[in-house]
Amino acid sequence: MTTDLDVLIVGAGLSGIGAAHQLQAAFPHRTYTILEARDAIGGTWDLFRYPGVRSDSDMHTLGYRFRPWTDPKAIADGSSILRYVRDTAAEAGIDRHIRFGHRVVRASWSSADARWTVSAVHDGRPVTLTARFLYLCSGYYHYDAGHAPDFPGSNDFRGTIVHPQHWPADLDHAGKRVVVIGSGATAVTLVPALAETAAHVTMLQRSPTYILALPAVDKLANRLKRVLGARRGYFLTRWKNVLLGTLIYQLSRRRPAVIKAMIRKAAIRQLPDGYDVDTHFTPRYQPWDQRLCLVPDGDLFATIRAGRATIATDEVESFTETGIALRSGASLEADVIVTATGLRLLAFGGVELAVDGRAVELPKTMAYKGMMLSGVPNFAFTIGYTNASWTLKADLVSEYVMRLLRHMDAHGYDQCAPANDDSGVTERPLLDFAAGYVLRSIDEFPRAGSRAPWQLGMSYAHDVVRLRHGRVEDPEMRFSRRPARVEADA
Ligand SMILES: Cc1cc2nc3c(=O)[nH]c(=O)nc-3n(C[C@H](O)[C@H](O)[C@H](O)COP(=O)(O)OP(=O)(O)OC[C@H]3O[C@@H](n4cnc5c(N)ncnc54)[C@H](O)[C@@H]3O)c2cc1C
């Protein structure tokens, strides 16, 4: 296998496979490799195996632009998404370019060589590759462990404690009393799935989340695909969903009271008469300050209606031998406790970056168009939207990288790096989102800026204009040739 590459991609998840697909299509003769720390394709969709694991955005926008989602279900289960990513890789022969079990630990750029030297660990041994462009598709969280608060008394509990990130394949929850701690997407997914066979499930939340029911099957999408064909039907549905999502997001930001009332009314309609909606379904924050949780066909509400699950809005005082003592003085009996307490964020898969011998301190860099870093040459990364499907942004980042590489070819450039010389640009967080898991670690990430091109783009339509059609040459992007090449030309 080549060790001096045109492009080195880190990560074989949804983003890495999509990036490789676009790279192959744009430059069939370029050399590239994907280094993947795990032994499988799929990232998130291979790692998470808890009961009911599924997308919480529709697959017409979580799917790739270049490959229609053809499954009739728009909110898909984890295994279907994993199959989709793997099929994409296999059909395009991308799987032959992946080196599994290679954890990238360091990448150093040399301006003299216009090359990255990338160090990985494979089977405990160091492996080194060089590449002209480094493209990180390493996701945004720690794979080793999720966020697990240290609950007092957890050693006393005689039942089983599990974290959704490491669901034991042999855990049998049938007939058991289960308490799920959390109120995010994972908790609301787990509750109805566990309740199918558990004796009872309690979702213990410190504070509520906005929850909205959505049909799992998008009938219009399926009709469009039947009438117009898979590709055109997919294209139209993708835009329909983008526009609908944008409308809800914009209304949430501009007229939060309207959206709050709408979500509350929808919840009341789905819950039993006299249910305490204000305590259990009315968050303290505004819609879209944190991610809105979608529940397919209102499955969570149906489970509550059927008496198979209960919500407790309270706080853990301590774990006990038989369950959880709550701050209110009440207690919950449990055989299994699921700590759906979230992820631990990790910037760039923990890869340490250096440029010409100097370590890159991520919080001192600024993200250019949400996909490159100030002062870091020939480098791009993928972090998806927080208010829309991840892949919408991942696809656009890949398109932009291809345009950038083509532009460099056309002009004989070896290197491109964004630079921020404008002292009027003030710093903003890279993920402008009030969720606990973001607030815990966002300081370790690069910053975004107060104005373009450093501003965090949270609108797909705007990014289509900017990343797909906008000029690649701009005052903040510095293109140059390798010093040796400049001398030779002279
Ligand atoms: C449970 C769950 C549900 C989600 N549901 C949705 C949803 O419905 N909609 C949505 O838009 N988003 C969702 N997300 C966000 C989700 O992570 C993205 O949608 C998407 O899967 C991210 O793909 P990715 O390839 O960028 O990252 P990942 O899926 O995280 O894949 C990254 C890959 O990079 C590898 N890697 C990381 N570091 C290194 C390293 N140093 N060296 C080598 N390899 C490395 C990892 O092993 C992994 O295979 C969800 C996330 C979770 C955790």
Side-chain angles (χ1 to χ4, degrees):
M1 221 182 235
T2 326
T3 53
D4 183 36
L5 304 152
D6 289 318
V7 180
L8 194 146
I9 297 170
V10 180
L14 197 53
S15 306
I17 299 301
H21 200 282
Q22 296 213 38
L23 180 67
Q24 284 190 173
F27 303 102
H29 303 298
R30 293 241 162 143
T31 54
Y32 81 91
T33 286
I34 302 180
L35 294 184
E36 167 54 56
R38 306 176 72 239
D39 291 321
I41 293 177
T44 298
W45 303 105
D46 183 63
L47 176 74
F48 281 85
R49 300 289 177 129
Y50 57 78
V53 59
R54 58 163 170 80
S55 65
D56 64 349
S57 50
D58 72 281
M59 289 307 300
H60 298 94
T61 54
L62 191 59
Y64 300 115
R65 177 168 179 247
F66 57 80
R67 190 167 195 267
W69 175 258
T70 52
D71 194 298
K73 269 174 104 178
I75 301 287
D77 50 74
S79 56
S80 309
I81 303 173
L82 182 58
R83 200 176 326 117
Y84 172 79
V85 180
R86 289 192 174 158
D87 289 352
T88 306
E91 281 167 21
I94 294 166
D95 41 3
R96 292 195 301 272
H97 293 261
I98 306 173
R99 290 203 196 179
F100 291 105
H102 282 67
R103 175 180 297 280
V104 177
V105 287
R106 207 166 307 104
S108 313
W109 171 260
S110 155
S111 295
D113 303 329
R115 288 273 183 298
W116 284 98
T117 299
V118 177
S119 310
V121 178
H122 175 57
D123 273 347
R125 283 192 297 276
V127 175
T128 304
L129 288 91
T130 53
R132 295 202 291 153
F133 199 95
L134 179 62
Y135 192 172
L136 287 193
C137 297
S138 46
Y140 64 115
Y141 61 87
H142 275 276
Y143 267 67
D144 330 347
H147 174 61
D150 206 1
F151 291 114
S154 46
N155 289 334
D156 301 336
F157 180 58
R158 278 191 264 132
T160 311
I161 302 174
V162 282
H163 195 285
Q165 196 160 326
H166 303 284
W167 197 271
D170 58 353
L171 178 69
D172 182 11
H173 61 274
K176 306 233 168 94
R177 295 161 304 173
V178 184
V179 174
V180 178
I181 303 176
S183 60
T186 300
V188 303
T189 302
L190 270 164
V191 170
L194 293 171
E196 282 176 19
T197 56
H200 191 78
V201 181
T202 306
M203 182 167 117
L204 171 58
Q205 58 178 11
R206 209 160 32 182
S207 61
T209 300
Y210 287 104
I211 297 177
L212 194 62
L214 195 85
V217 173
D218 181 341
K219 287 192 186 138
L220 178 60
N222 292 340
R223 205 169 309 138
L224 284 174
K225 277 185 238 167
R226 258 198 317 276
V227 175
L228 301 173
R231 207 157 271 281
R232 267 184 290 180
Y234 180 64
F235 173 81
L236 280 182
T237 307
R238 199 170 159 87
W239 272 106
K240 165 185 80 78
N241 293 355
V242 164
L243 295 177
L244 202 63
T246 308
L247 184 72
I248 293 178
Y249 179 76
Q250 289 300 338
L251 260 179
S252 300
R253 306 317 289 167
R254 286 158 205 243
R255 307 283 298 277
V258 173
I259 294 292
K260 266 164 106 164
M262 192 188 90
I263 296 176
R264 186 172 189 280
K265 220 163 139 191
I268 291 173
R269 261 203 311 271
Q270 303 231 28
L271 288 162
D273 286 345
Y275 191 89
D276 189 354
V277 177
D278 290 328
T279 302
H280 303 306
F281 283 94
T282 309
R284 298 179 202 140
Y285 56 86
Q286 302 292 7
W288 273 118
D289 279 354
Q290 298 189 24
R291 206 175 165 106
L292 199 76
C293 274
L294 298 178
V295 289
D297 298 329
D299 59 359
L300 176 74
F301 297 113
T303 313
I304 294 171
R305 270 198 319 269
R308 302 201 58 78
T310 314
I311 298 192
T313 305
D314 208 320
E315 279 190 56
V316 175
E317 179 71 30
S318 69
F319 284 19
T320 62
E321 286 188 4
T322 56
I324 300 178
L326 300 172
R327 201 147 284 180
S328 64
S331 61
L332 297 171
E333 295 296 295
D335 306 301
V336 178
I337 297 176
V338 182
T339 52
T341 41
L343 305 163
R344 279 200 303 137
L345 292 196
L346 177 68
F348 304 151
V351 178
E352 289 172 14
L353 300 174
V355 173
D356 293 327
R358 299 241 314 254
V360 174
E361 291 177 60
L362 293 180
K364 293 198 175 148
T365 61
M366 198 169 262
Y368 170 86
K369 298 185 174 172
M371 51 160 287
M372 295 175 83
L373 289 185
S374 56
V376 183
N378 294 19
F379 172 88
F381 66 89
T382 300
I383 294 187
Y385 297 119
T386 42
N387 67 344
S389 282
W390 183 277
T391 319
L392 291 172
K393 178 71 182 279
D395 276 352
L396 284 177
V397 171
S398 291
E399 284 181 46
Y400 192 86
V401 169
M402 301 317 138
R403 295 179 62 217
L404 199 57
L405 294 177
R406 203 169 282 127
H407 182 83
M408 288 167 72
D409 275 2
H411 295 83
Y413 294 131
D414 297 301
Q415 156 168 344
C416 65
N420 174 26
D421 302 329
D422 181 353
S423 55
V425 177
T426 51
E427 289 183 356
R428 298 272 192 279
L430 186 61
L431 297 172
D432 197 5
F433 211 41
Y437 70 94
V438 174
L439 299 177
R440 276 195 294 275
S441 327
I442 194 64
D443 288 350
E444 295 154 27
F445 278 66
R447 303 283 180 250
S450 53
R451 45 174 106 122
W454 311 100
Q455 219 165 13
L456 192 68
M458 271 296 149
S459 153
Y460 175 67
H462 184 253
D463 275 348
V464 165
V465 174
R466 187 164 84 130
L467 299 178
R468 182 174 299 156
H469 302 293
R471 282 167 58 86
V472 167
E473 288 263 9
D474 79 26
E476 285 82 5
M477 180 63 89
R478 310 286 152 81
F479 293 95
S480 57
R481 297 187 173 83
R482 211 158 23 107
R485 185 121 77 109
V486 174
E487 270 172 37
D489 287 353

PDB file of all heavy atoms in Angstrom, residues 195-218:
ATOM      1  N   ALA A 195     -39.325  -0.898  27.166  1.00  0.00           N
ATOM      2  CA  ALA A 195     -40.649  -1.159  27.752  1.00  0.00           C
ATOM      3  C   ALA A 195     -41.390  -2.295  27.048  1.00  0.00           C
ATOM      4  O   ALA A 195     -42.359  -2.825  27.590  1.00  0.00           O
ATOM      5  CB  ALA A 195     -41.489   0.118  27.718  1.00  0.00           C
ATOM      6  N   GLU A 196     -40.929  -2.676  25.846  1.00  0.00           N
ATOM      7  CA  GLU A 196     -41.610  -3.783  25.146  1.00  0.00           C
ATOM      8  C   GLU A 196     -41.600  -5.058  25.979  1.00  0.00           C
ATOM      9  O   GLU A 196     -42.538  -5.836  25.958  1.00  0.00           O
ATOM     10  CB  GLU A 196     -40.933  -4.040  23.797  1.00  0.00           C
ATOM     11  CG  GLU A 196     -41.350  -3.025  22.757  1.00  0.00           C
ATOM     12  CD  GLU A 196     -40.615  -3.212  21.451  1.00  0.00           C
ATOM     13  OE1 GLU A 196     -40.061  -4.302  21.209  1.00  0.00           O
ATOM     14  OE2 GLU A 196     -40.584  -2.237  20.676  1.00  0.00           O
ATOM     15  N   THR A 197     -40.495  -5.290  26.722  1.00  0.00           N
ATOM     16  CA  THR A 197     -40.433  -6.537  27.504  1.00  0.00           C
ATOM     17  C   THR A 197     -40.161  -6.314  28.989  1.00  0.00           C
ATOM     18  O   THR A 197     -40.321  -7.241  29.779  1.00  0.00           O
ATOM     19  CB  THR A 197     -39.323  -7.472  26.947  1.00  0.00           C
ATOM     20  OG1 THR A 197     -38.100  -6.750  26.960  1.00  0.00           O
ATOM     21  CG2 THR A 197     -39.629  -7.938  25.536  1.00  0.00           C
ATOM     22  N   ALA A 198     -39.736  -5.113  29.366  1.00  0.00           N
ATOM     23  CA  ALA A 198     -39.415  -4.876  30.782  1.00  0.00           C
ATOM     24  C   ALA A 198     -40.700  -4.903  31.615  1.00  0.00           C
ATOM     25  O   ALA A 198     -41.806  -4.717  31.079  1.00  0.00           O
ATOM     26  CB  ALA A 198     -38.744  -3.513  30.926  1.00  0.00           C
ATOM     27  N   ALA A 199     -40.562  -5.145  32.930  1.00  0.00           N
ATOM     28  CA  ALA A 199     -41.730  -5.083  33.804  1.00  0.00           C
ATOM     29  C   ALA A 199     -42.248  -3.643  33.824  1.00  0.00           C
ATOM     30  O   ALA A 199     -43.444  -3.392  33.705  1.00  0.00           O
ATOM     31  CB  ALA A 199     -41.353  -5.527  35.210  1.00  0.00           C
ATOM     32  N   HIS A 200     -41.329  -2.692  33.952  1.00  0.00           N
ATOM     33  CA  HIS A 200     -41.689  -1.279  33.891  1.00  0.00           C
ATOM     34  C   HIS A 200     -40.413  -0.467  33.641  1.00  0.00           C
ATOM     35  O   HIS A 200     -39.327  -0.864  34.038  1.00  0.00           O
ATOM     36  CB  HIS A 200     -42.341  -0.811  35.199  1.00  0.00           C
ATOM     37  CG  HIS A 200     -42.945   0.555  35.060  1.00  0.00           C
ATOM     38  ND1 HIS A 200     -44.155   0.773  34.429  1.00  0.00           N
ATOM     39  CD2 HIS A 200     -42.500   1.772  35.443  1.00  0.00           C
ATOM     40  CE1 HIS A 200     -44.425   2.064  34.434  1.00  0.00           C
ATOM     41  NE2 HIS A 200     -43.430   2.699  35.054  1.00  0.00           N
ATOM     42  N   VAL A 201     -40.582   0.653  32.947  1.00  0.00           N
ATOM     43  CA  VAL A 201     -39.433   1.538  32.711  1.00  0.00           C
ATOM     44  C   VAL A 201     -39.761   2.916  33.279  1.00  0.00           C
ATOM     45  O   VAL A 201     -40.849   3.445  33.045  1.00  0.00           O
ATOM     46  CB  VAL A 201     -39.111   1.671  31.201  1.00  0.00           C
ATOM     47  CG1 VAL A 201     -37.897   2.573  30.996  1.00  0.00           C
ATOM     48  CG2 VAL A 201     -38.860   0.307  30.575  1.00  0.00           C
ATOM     49  N   THR A 202     -38.802   3.484  34.019  1.00  0.00           N
ATOM     50  CA  THR A 202     -38.960   4.861  34.495  1.00  0.00           C
ATOM     51  C   THR A 202     -37.863   5.699  33.856  1.00  0.00           C
ATOM     52  O   THR A 202     -36.694   5.318  33.889  1.00  0.00           O
ATOM     53  CB  THR A 202     -38.812   4.949  36.026  1.00  0.00           C
ATOM     54  OG1 THR A 202     -39.736   4.023  36.605  1.00  0.00           O
ATOM     55  CG2 THR A 202     -39.095   6.353  36.535  1.00  0.00           C
ATOM     56  N   MET A 203     -38.255   6.805  33.248  1.00  0.00           N
ATOM     57  CA  MET A 203     -37.246   7.736  32.729  1.00  0.00           C
ATOM     58  C   MET A 203     -37.051   8.808  33.796  1.00  0.00           C
ATOM     59  O   MET A 203     -37.974   9.572  34.078  1.00  0.00           O
ATOM     60  CB  MET A 203     -37.727   8.336  31.408  1.00  0.00           C
ATOM     61  CG  MET A 203     -36.740   9.271  30.776  1.00  0.00           C
ATOM     62  SD  MET A 203     -37.222   9.638  29.058  1.00  0.00           S
ATOM     63  CE  MET A 203     -37.505  11.370  29.173  1.00  0.00           C
ATOM     64  N   LEU A 204     -35.865   8.831  34.370  1.00  0.00           N
ATOM     65  CA  LEU A 204     -35.577   9.796  35.433  1.00  0.00           C
ATOM     66  C   LEU A 204     -34.819  10.965  34.819  1.00  0.00           C
ATOM     67  O   LEU A 204     -33.685  10.808  34.362  1.00  0.00           O
ATOM     68  CB  LEU A 204     -34.734   9.124  36.533  1.00  0.00           C
ATOM     69  CG  LEU A 204     -34.171  10.054  37.609  1.00  0.00           C
ATOM     70  CD1 LEU A 204     -35.276  10.818  38.330  1.00  0.00           C
ATOM     71  CD2 LEU A 204     -33.331   9.268  38.615  1.00  0.00           C
ATOM     72  N   GLN A 205     -35.459  12.122  34.790  1.00  0.00           N
ATOM     73  CA  GLN A 205     -34.825  13.291  34.176  1.00  0.00           C
ATOM     74  C   GLN A 205     -34.729  14.420  35.190  1.00  0.00           C
ATOM     75  O   GLN A 205     -35.619  14.631  35.994  1.00  0.00           O
ATOM     76  CB  GLN A 205     -35.631  13.740  32.965  1.00  0.00           C
ATOM     77  CG  GLN A 205     -37.088  14.086  33.290  1.00  0.00           C
ATOM     78  CD  GLN A 205     -37.878  14.574  32.089  1.00  0.00           C
ATOM     79  OE1 GLN A 205     -37.428  14.473  30.959  1.00  0.00           O
ATOM     80  NE2 GLN A 205     -39.054  15.132  32.343  1.00  0.00           N
ATOM     81  N   ARG A 206     -33.597  15.144  35.099  1.00  0.00           N
ATOM     82  CA  ARG A 206     -33.421  16.297  35.970  1.00  0.00           C
ATOM     83  C   ARG A 206     -34.351  17.411  35.497  1.00  0.00           C
ATOM     84  O   ARG A 206     -34.966  18.106  36.268  1.00  0.00           O
ATOM     85  CB  ARG A 206     -31.969  16.749  35.884  1.00  0.00           C
ATOM     86  CG  ARG A 206     -31.476  17.398  37.116  1.00  0.00           C
ATOM     87  CD  ARG A 206     -30.004  17.407  37.224  1.00  0.00           C
ATOM     88  NE  ARG A 206     -29.325  17.498  35.928  1.00  0.00           N
ATOM     89  CZ  ARG A 206     -28.021  17.474  35.798  1.00  0.00           C
ATOM     90  NH1 ARG A 206     -27.271  17.373  36.870  1.00  0.00           N
ATOM     91  NH2 ARG A 206     -27.433  17.553  34.627  1.00  0.00           N
ATOM     92  N   SER A 207     -34.411  17.563  34.162  1.00  0.00           N
ATOM     93  CA  SER A 207     -35.315  18.568  33.598  1.00  0.00           C
ATOM     94  C   SER A 207     -35.774  18.074  32.228  1.00  0.00           C
ATOM     95  O   SER A 207     -35.057  17.313  31.577  1.00  0.00           O
ATOM     96  CB  SER A 207     -34.598  19.909  33.488  1.00  0.00           C
ATOM     97  OG  SER A 207     -33.504  19.764  32.626  1.00  0.00           O
ATOM     98  N   PRO A 208     -36.942  18.508  31.793  1.00  0.00           N
ATOM     99  CA  PRO A 208     -37.502  17.968  30.537  1.00  0.00           C
ATOM    100  C   PRO A 208     -36.809  18.494  29.282  1.00  0.00           C
ATOM    101  O   PRO A 208     -36.088  19.495  29.325  1.00  0.00           O
ATOM    102  CB  PRO A 208     -38.951  18.447  30.572  1.00  0.00           C
ATOM    103  CG  PRO A 208     -39.194  19.002  31.924  1.00  0.00           C
ATOM    104  CD  PRO A 208     -37.872  19.410  32.478  1.00  0.00           C
ATOM    105  N   THR A 209     -37.107  17.808  28.176  1.00  0.00           N
ATOM    106  CA  THR A 209     -36.590  18.146  26.843  1.00  0.00           C
ATOM    107  C   THR A 209     -37.803  18.383  25.944  1.00  0.00           C
ATOM    108  O   THR A 209     -38.863  17.826  26.207  1.00  0.00           O
ATOM    109  CB  THR A 209     -35.813  16.917  26.302  1.00  0.00           C
ATOM    110  OG1 THR A 209     -34.758  16.637  27.207  1.00  0.00           O
ATOM    111  CG2 THR A 209     -35.247  17.134  24.926  1.00  0.00           C
ATOM    112  N   TYR A 210     -37.626  19.192  24.896  1.00  0.00           N
ATOM    113  CA  TYR A 210     -38.722  19.334  23.921  1.00  0.00           C
ATOM    114  C   TYR A 210     -38.809  18.064  23.087  1.00  0.00           C
ATOM    115  O   TYR A 210     -37.811  17.651  22.477  1.00  0.00           O
ATOM    116  CB  TYR A 210     -38.481  20.526  23.002  1.00  0.00           C
ATOM    117  CG  TYR A 210     -38.706  21.842  23.703  1.00  0.00           C
ATOM    118  CD1 TYR A 210     -37.628  22.624  24.110  1.00  0.00           C
ATOM    119  CD2 TYR A 210     -39.986  22.290  23.975  1.00  0.00           C
ATOM    120  CE1 TYR A 210     -37.826  23.829  24.765  1.00  0.00           C
ATOM    121  CE2 TYR A 210     -40.193  23.494  24.637  1.00  0.00           C
ATOM    122  CZ  TYR A 210     -39.114  24.257  25.027  1.00  0.00           C
ATOM    123  OH  TYR A 210     -39.315  25.435  25.688  1.00  0.00           O
ATOM    124  N   ILE A 211     -39.995  17.461  23.078  1.00  0.00           N
ATOM    125  CA  ILE A 211     -40.173  16.200  22.358  1.00  0.00           C
ATOM    126  C   ILE A 211     -41.330  16.336  21.377  1.00  0.00           C
ATOM    127  O   ILE A 211     -42.414  16.789  21.739  1.00  0.00           O
ATOM    128  CB  ILE A 211     -40.428  15.046  23.348  1.00  0.00           C
ATOM    129  CG1 ILE A 211     -39.185  14.880  24.230  1.00  0.00           C
ATOM    130  CG2 ILE A 211     -40.748  13.744  22.617  1.00  0.00           C
ATOM    131  CD1 ILE A 211     -39.313  13.841  25.304  1.00  0.00           C
ATOM    132  N   LEU A 212     -41.057  15.961  20.147  1.00  0.00           N
ATOM    133  CA  LEU A 212     -42.039  16.127  19.084  1.00  0.00           C
ATOM    134  C   LEU A 212     -42.204  14.804  18.342  1.00  0.00           C
ATOM    135  O   LEU A 212     -41.216  14.178  17.966  1.00  0.00           O
ATOM    136  CB  LEU A 212     -41.529  17.207  18.119  1.00  0.00           C
ATOM    137  CG  LEU A 212     -42.501  17.792  17.119  1.00  0.00           C
ATOM    138  CD1 LEU A 212     -43.658  18.489  17.810  1.00  0.00           C
ATOM    139  CD2 LEU A 212     -41.776  18.783  16.211  1.00  0.00           C
ATOM    140  N   ALA A 213     -43.467  14.391  18.138  1.00  0.00           N
ATOM    141  CA  ALA A 213     -43.716  13.135  17.399  1.00  0.00           C
ATOM    142  C   ALA A 213     -43.665  13.406  15.896  1.00  0.00           C
ATOM    143  O   ALA A 213     -44.076  14.460  15.430  1.00  0.00           O
ATOM    144  CB  ALA A 213     -45.076  12.586  17.786  1.00  0.00           C
ATOM    145  N   LEU A 214     -43.119  12.437  15.171  1.00  0.00           N
ATOM    146  CA  LEU A 214     -42.979  12.557  13.716  1.00  0.00           C
ATOM    147  C   LEU A 214     -43.291  11.201  13.094  1.00  0.00           C
ATOM    148  O   LEU A 214     -42.901  10.175  13.667  1.00  0.00           O
ATOM    149  CB  LEU A 214     -41.517  12.924  13.421  1.00  0.00           C
ATOM    150  CG  LEU A 214     -41.191  13.445  12.037  1.00  0.00           C
ATOM    151  CD1 LEU A 214     -41.453  14.952  12.004  1.00  0.00           C
ATOM    152  CD2 LEU A 214     -39.716  13.194  11.734  1.00  0.00           C
ATOM    153  N   PRO A 215     -43.974  11.144  11.944  1.00  0.00           N
ATOM    154  CA  PRO A 215     -44.238   9.815  11.356  1.00  0.00           C
ATOM    155  C   PRO A 215     -42.920   9.128  10.982  1.00  0.00           C
ATOM    156  O   PRO A 215     -42.038   9.760  10.400  1.00  0.00           O
ATOM    157  CB  PRO A 215     -45.055  10.135  10.099  1.00  0.00           C
ATOM    158  CG  PRO A 215     -45.475  11.546  10.226  1.00  0.00           C
ATOM    159  CD  PRO A 215     -44.544  12.239  11.152  1.00  0.00           C
ATOM    160  N   ALA A 216     -42.780   7.851  11.334  1.00  0.00           N
ATOM    161  CA  ALA A 216     -41.554   7.112  10.993  1.00  0.00           C
ATOM    162  C   ALA A 216     -41.472   6.908   9.488  1.00  0.00           C
ATOM    163  O   ALA A 216     -40.394   6.862   8.904  1.00  0.00           O
ATOM    164  CB  ALA A 216     -41.544   5.770  11.709  1.00  0.00           C
ATOM    165  N   VAL A 217     -42.659   6.774   8.857  1.00  0.00           N
ATOM    166  CA  VAL A 217     -42.686   6.603   7.404  1.00  0.00           C
ATOM    167  C   VAL A 217     -43.190   7.911   6.794  1.00  0.00           C
ATOM    168  O   VAL A 217     -44.251   8.413   7.187  1.00  0.00           O
ATOM    169  CB  VAL A 217     -43.626   5.437   7.029  1.00  0.00           C
ATOM    170  CG1 VAL A 217     -43.799   5.350   5.511  1.00  0.00           C
ATOM    171  CG2 VAL A 217     -43.087   4.120   7.581  1.00  0.00           C
ATOM    172  N   ASP A 218     -42.385   8.463   5.877  1.00  0.00           N
ATOM    173  CA  ASP A 218     -42.773   9.696   5.209  1.00  0.00           C
ATOM    174  C   ASP A 218     -43.514   9.287   3.926  1.00  0.00           C
ATOM    175  O   ASP A 218     -42.900   8.950   2.918  1.00  0.00           O
ATOM    176  CB  ASP A 218     -41.499  10.507   4.901  1.00  0.00           C
ATOM    177  CG  ASP A 218     -41.791  11.835   4.230  1.00  0.00           C
ATOM    178  OD1 ASP A 218     -42.896  11.988   3.673  1.00  0.00           O
ATOM    179  OD2 ASP A 218     -40.909  12.715   4.260  1.00  0.00           O
TER     180      ASP A 218
END
